[in-house]
Amino acid sequence: YPGASRRVDRRPGRYKGLMAIGLFVLLIVGFGLAGFAFWVWSLVDAIQRPDADWEQAGQSKLVWILVLVFVGIIGSFIYLLVARPSLEEVKRGF
């Protein structure tokens, strides 16, 4: 009907479901970006360390870079817990 007015739904809470979905999407995107940034940081950290530090720590630079590339964020956590502490000890001179 061209002259009929449209009725607007003004019930409170009508858009709660959409807001919840939007918040969920923002959280997923936020965690995804944070995970990606953590992965990039760990990859750059591994690449920039001198080869001598890797040898003194008894680690293989190539293997760790491949782990980071192919395993992704899980590889980043493993790198943070396993390889990086020994590399930091070498860096400090222990």
Side-chain angles (χ1 to χ4, degrees):
Y1 310 115
S5 63
R6 291 187 175 190
R7 198 172 145 217
V8 178
D9 189 1
R10 298 187 192 276
R11 289 179 290 174
R14 174 154 168 29
Y15 298 106
K16 280 185 180 177
L18 286 176
M19 288 175 39
I21 291 171
L23 181 62
F24 179 72
V25 168
L26 283 176
L27 284 173
I28 295 296
V29 169
F31 281 122
L33 289 174
F36 179 73
F38 176 59
W39 176 76
V40 168
W41 169 81
S42 60
L43 187 60
V44 168
D45 183 66
I47 290 170
Q48 288 183 343
R49 292 204 181 250
D51 292 339
D53 288 357
W54 286 95
E55 290 174 14
Q56 287 178 352
Q59 304 283 343
S60 172
K61 184 176 186 176
L62 177 62
V63 169
W64 276 107
I65 290 172
L66 290 174
V67 166
L68 290 169
V69 168
F70 289 114
V71 182
I73 193 166
I74 295 171
S76 295
F77 281 111
I78 295 169
Y79 171 77
L80 184 69
L81 297 173
V82 175
R84 196 160 193 276
S86 61
L87 290 168
E88 287 296 316
E89 285 181 13
V90 167
K91 185 178 177 181
R92 288 190 300 253
F94 289 114

